[in-house]
């Protein structure tokens, strides 16, 4: 990891940029996702490997950027977890 990775992570941490990426990729550029509704989450995750081996040591993984989004739709709340790997 170097300077380029750090710069990209800082850039993607901006909710406006993050929302713009998802709006472009999912909604063909329409402004559907509101940056003000995004909330940062911890970018670390623990994973326990599956398999027949005796080594079931948890592995820690990191995402570049991870945010939650909750929206109201027809009086029901919908939760989305969105992550980006640069």
């Amino acid at each position: 990891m170097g300077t380029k990775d750090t710069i990209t992570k800082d850039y993607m941490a901006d909710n406006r940029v993050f929302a713009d990426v998802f709006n472009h990729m999912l909604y063909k550029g329409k402004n559907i996702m509101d940056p003000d509704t995004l909330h940062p989450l911890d970018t670390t995750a623990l994973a326990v490997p599956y398999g027949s081996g005796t080594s079931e040591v948890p592995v820690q993984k990191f995402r570049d950027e991870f945010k939650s989004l909750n929206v109201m739709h027809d009086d029901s709340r919908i939760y989305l977890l969105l992550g980006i790997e640069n």
Side-chain angles (χ1 to χ4, degrees):
M1 300 211 201
T3 304
K4 289 180 183 178
D5 191 48
T6 303
I7 292 170
T8 304
K9 286 180 184 180
D10 289 343
Y11 180 69
M12 292 308 301
D14 183 329
N15 282 355
R16 292 172 298 156
V17 173
F18 193 92
D20 193 46
V21 167
F22 279 91
N23 282 330
H24 173 73
M25 297 301 291
L26 299 176
Y27 304 111
K28 299 180 181 177
K30 293 180 184 174
N31 290 324
I32 303 295
M33 190 175 298
D34 182 2
D36 294 332
T37 61
L38 294 169
H39 307 283
L41 295 173
D42 186 0
T43 59
T44 59
L46 289 176
V48 178
Y50 292 99
S52 59
T54 58
S55 174
E56 293 185 1
V57 178
V59 177
Q60 190 172 29
K61 304 256 181 181
F62 298 91
R63 291 178 180 86
D64 287 338
E65 195 58 42
F66 197 45
K67 296 182 188 271
S68 70
L69 168 71
N70 51 14
V71 294
M72 294 296 289
H73 185 270
D74 297 333
D75 297 325
S76 298
R77 189 169 291 267
I78 300 170
Y79 297 94
L80 300 173
L81 299 176
L82 306 167
I84 288 183
E85 280 297 318
N86 301 325

